[in-house]
């Protein structure tokens, strides 16, 4: 009665759980056709079927006051949803509609999708638990490409399939403001994908780091991210680790994005089963990119061919400072290849190589490069190779006149690999001596072990004649020989700083 009288105080009508059935629902619908006061109507759990839904659809065609309608948990089925969809195509007032648990299935979802193509009023739509599968999800996704008004979509409790979820994500990510949508937990990665791509496209200033690790992403997901990344100017870190379904297609899209992106500084693709061709594709992009400083490719078995591509980046990049290649199948030949590349690098400062069987020869090759490296301050390898690499790093710091490297330093020279044809210190001590000639920072130096032989001691004596920084030198060795001892004595006569 109050509805028929247009009672101005009746703006919200909640008739949930009233067992109205189709008859009373139809009577209410007839009264609402001419009503101009009721804005919200709730009819959940009332035993309404398709007949009642058809009557309510007539209200939507005639009434321009109603803004919210809930018919949830009523068995209106596809027929009822089709009727409501037909009314929505022309309705200009309803902004929120809930058809949750109404058994509308794919046919009903498809009809509603068609309505969304022309409706410009609806903002929130709940179609949860309706037996909708991938077919219905695909129809809704197609409609969303043309709809510019819907901001909230709920589809939980529907088996929409991975294909349907991805299609919805692609549609929704086109609109930065469209972020409120819900799917079952198994599809949460697609919700995240849509949100992330939307934010990338909008250049959200708060989005500086994006971690999409172990999300079962494939080429389609990565291609969407890459397309958004190409023009983005805010994201600094992108991690896609452990997404093993990504193939060369996705990596190519990502590489293309890197060529134009001017903001990203860290890219992580560890444990992605990337092969040689994938690494080559990324490497080609990195020779063009001028912002990526950290590259993480650990646990990808890309072989010698892929490593050669990485070495090309090391040699030519003017920005790359950190490279992670843990557990990447790098052997002795690979370590020697890396050593050759490092010799030409001006920027790489940190390199992680743990979990690779680089061998004593490979470790020695890397250590020798460190003597003269202008940038490398960190190199991690397996424990067995640590002494060689640590020593190489220390000699490099002496050669660079590292201002922080001036206190008592213990250089320990140990015997390595008989296959070298001699002790490692036969080269290490002369290398240290050469570095000391130009060093002015180091003031206290200890050379440990009993391994400093005549050649090393003679080289040190030559350095002492020139060095003007050392004040303390301790050599723990009884094998330097008479000639070296005399040379040391002669050097002390002219050295101006050594006091102990």
């Amino acid at each position: 009665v109050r509805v028929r009288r247009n009672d101005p105080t009746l703006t919200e009508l909640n008739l949930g759980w009233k067992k109205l059935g189709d008859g009373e629902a139809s009577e209410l619908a007839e009264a609402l056709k001419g009503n101009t006061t009721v804005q919200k109507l709730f009819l959940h759990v009332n035993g309404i079927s398709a007949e009642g839904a058809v009557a309510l659809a007539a209200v939507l065609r005639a009434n321009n006051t109603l803004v919210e309608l809930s018919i949830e948990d009523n068995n209106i089925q596809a027929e009822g949803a089709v009727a409501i969809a037909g009314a929505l195509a022309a309705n200009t007032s309803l902004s929120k509609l809930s058809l949750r648990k109404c058994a509308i299935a794919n046919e009903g979802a498809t009809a509603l999708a068609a309505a969304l193509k022309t409706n410009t009023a609806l903002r929130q739509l709940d179609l949860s638990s309706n037996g909708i599968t991938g077919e219905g999800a695909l129809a809704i996704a197609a409609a969303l490409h043309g709809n510019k008004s819907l901001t909230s979509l709920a589809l939980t409790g529907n088996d929409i399939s991975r294909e349907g979820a991805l299609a919805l994500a692609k549609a929704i990510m086109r609109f930065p403001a469209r972020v409120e949508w819900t799917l079952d937990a198994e599809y949460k990665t697609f919700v995240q994908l849509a949100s992330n791509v939307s934010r990338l496209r909008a250049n959200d200033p708060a989005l500086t780091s994006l971690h999409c690790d172990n999300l079962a992403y494939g080429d389609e997901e990565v291609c969407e991210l890459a397309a958004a990344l190409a023009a983005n100017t805010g994201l600094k870190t992108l991690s896609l680790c452990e997404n093993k379904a990504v193939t060369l297609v996705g990596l190519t899209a990502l590489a293309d994005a890197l060529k134009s992106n001017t903001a990203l500084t860290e890219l992580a693709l560890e444990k992605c089963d990337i092969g040689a061709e994938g690494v080559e594709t990324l490497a080609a992009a990195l020779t063009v990119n001028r912002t990526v400083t950290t590259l993480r490719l650990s646990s990808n078995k890309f072989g010698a061919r892929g490593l050669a591509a990485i070495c090309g980046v090391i040699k030519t990049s003017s920005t790359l400072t950190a490279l992670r290649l843990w557990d990447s199948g790098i052997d002795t030949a690979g370590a020697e290849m890396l050593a050759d590349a490092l010799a030409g690098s001006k920027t790489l400062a940190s390199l992680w190589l743990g979990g690779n069987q680089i061998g004593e020869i490979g470790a020695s090759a890397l250590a020798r490069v460190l003597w003269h490296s202008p940038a490398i301050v960190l190199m991690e390898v397996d424990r067995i190779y640590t002494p060689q690499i640590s020593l190489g790093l220390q000699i490099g710091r002496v050669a660079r006149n590292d201002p922080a490297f001036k206190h008592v330093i213990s250089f320990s020279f140990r015997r390595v690999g008989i296959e070298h044809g001699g002790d490692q210190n036969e080269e290490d001590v002369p290398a240290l001596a050469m570095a000391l000639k130009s060093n002015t920072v180091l003031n206290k130096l200890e050379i440990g072990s009993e391994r400093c032989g005549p050649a090393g001691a003679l080289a040190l004596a030559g350095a002492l004649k020139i060095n003007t920084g050392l004040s303390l030198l301790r050599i723990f060795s009884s094998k330097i020989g008479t000639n070296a001892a005399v040379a040391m004595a002669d050097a002390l006569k002219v050295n101006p700083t050594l006091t102990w």
Side-chain angles (χ1 to χ4, degrees), residues 175-353:
F175 306 97
R178 185 172 290 157
V179 295
E180 296 181 8
W181 65 303
T182 52
L183 300 177
D184 288 336
E186 63 184 300
Y187 304 120
K188 67 179 181 179
T189 59
F190 299 102
V191 177
Q192 295 171 352
L193 175 66
S195 174
N196 290 334
V197 171
S198 293
R199 294 176 70 188
L200 284 172
R201 291 181 185 278
N203 257 323
D204 183 345
L207 186 62
T208 58
S209 179
L210 187 54
H211 293 271
C212 303
D213 303 325
N214 196 23
L215 294 180
Y217 277 2
D219 290 330
E220 290 187 273
E221 292 89 340
V222 172
C223 285
E224 291 293 341
L225 282 171
L229 179 67
N232 180 273
T233 58
L235 193 71
K236 302 300 181 184
T237 300
L238 175 60
S239 181
L240 292 167
C241 300
E242 297 187 72
N243 288 295
K244 298 184 179 182
V246 181
T247 71
L248 186 61
V249 174
L251 293 173
T252 299
L254 187 58
D256 289 340
L258 290 175
K259 292 176 183 178
S260 57
N261 181 278
T262 58
L264 197 70
T265 58
E266 180 175 353
L267 176 62
L269 290 164
E270 296 174 321
K271 297 182 180 181
C272 286
D273 286 347
I274 302 176
E277 194 172 358
V279 171
E280 288 176 333
T281 301
L282 291 170
L286 289 171
T287 59
V288 177
N289 181 280
R290 291 293 179 267
T291 58
V292 173
T293 60
T294 300
L295 179 62
R296 294 165 49 192
L297 291 174
S298 298
S299 301
N300 289 294
K301 301 300 189 290
F302 38 73
R305 179 179 155 192
L307 184 60
I310 293 172
C311 287
V313 176
I314 293 174
K315 290 179 180 179
T316 60
S317 175
S318 59
T319 56
L320 191 65
T321 60
L323 178 61
R324 289 181 177 268
L325 297 175
W326 280 84
D327 186 30
S328 295
I330 300 172
D331 56 13
T332 297
E336 292 179 318
M337 191 187 303
L338 278 170
D340 179 68
L342 291 172
S345 173
K346 299 295 189 294
T347 60
L348 196 66
S350 302
L351 178 61
W352 287 263
L353 292 171

Side-chain angles (χ1 to χ4, degrees), residues 333-387:
E336 292 179 318
M337 191 187 303
L338 278 170
D340 179 68
L342 291 172
S345 173
K346 299 295 189 294
T347 60
L348 196 66
S350 302
L351 178 61
W352 287 263
L353 292 171
N356 292 292
Q357 302 300 313
I358 61 176
E360 292 283 3
I361 294 176
S364 294
L366 290 167
R368 291 188 190 96
V369 170
L370 296 176
W371 299 344
H372 311 293
S373 172
I376 296 183
V377 295
L378 172 67
M379 183 181 290
E380 287 193 7
V381 293
D382 284 350
R383 188 173 181 179
I384 189 174
Y385 311 121
T386 297

Side-chain angles (χ1 to χ4, degrees), residues 13 26 37 50 56 84 120 135 229 258 312 349 376 396 398 413 429 448 451 455 471 499:
L13 187 57
S26 296
T37 63
L56 290 169
I84 291 174
T120 59
E135 178 187 340
L229 179 67
L258 290 175
I376 296 183
V398 173
F413 298 90
V429 177
R451 295 308 239 292
S471 61
T499 60

Side-chain angles (χ1 to χ4, degrees), residues 362-499:
S364 294
L366 290 167
R368 291 188 190 96
V369 170
L370 296 176
W371 299 344
H372 311 293
S373 172
I376 296 183
V377 295
L378 172 67
M379 183 181 290
E380 287 193 7
V381 293
D382 284 350
R383 188 173 181 179
I384 189 174
Y385 311 121
T386 297
Q388 292 166 270
I389 299 303
S390 177
L391 183 57
L393 287 169
Q394 291 182 80
I395 294 174
R397 295 182 70 181
V398 173
R400 288 196 302 272
N401 243 342
D402 186 338
F405 204 57
K406 60 183 179 180
H407 300 299
V408 176
I409 305 300
S410 179
F411 283 84
S412 179
F413 298 90
R414 71 181 187 90
R415 183 182 296 273
V416 294
I418 299 302
E419 69 269 23
H420 287 257
D423 295 341
Q424 184 188 11
N425 60 287
E426 289 300 322
E427 294 181 348
D428 288 334
V429 177
L432 172 60
M434 182 62 69
L436 282 171
K437 289 182 179 180
S438 58
N439 183 278
T440 59
V441 175
L442 193 68
N443 55 43
K444 296 178 181 179
L445 171 64
E446 294 182 1
I447 300 179
S449 88
E450 295 289 329
R451 295 308 239 292
C452 183
L458 283 171
L460 286 171
L464 289 177
K465 292 181 179 180
I466 301 172
N467 181 276
T468 58
L470 279 178
S471 61
L472 180 150
L473 174 62
R474 303 176 73 180
I475 304 174
F476 294 91
S477 177
S478 60
K479 300 180 180 180
I480 65 173
T482 302
N483 291 337
V486 172
M488 281 280 187
D490 289 340
L492 291 175
K493 294 176 183 177
V494 297
N495 182 280
T497 58
L498 204 62
T499 60

Side-chain angles (χ1 to χ4, degrees), residues 123-144:
R123 299 290 183 270
Q124 300 178 57
L125 178 61
D126 189 345
L127 299 178
S128 301
S129 302
N130 269 298
I132 300 171
T133 66
E135 178 187 340
L138 289 171
I140 294 172
L144 290 178

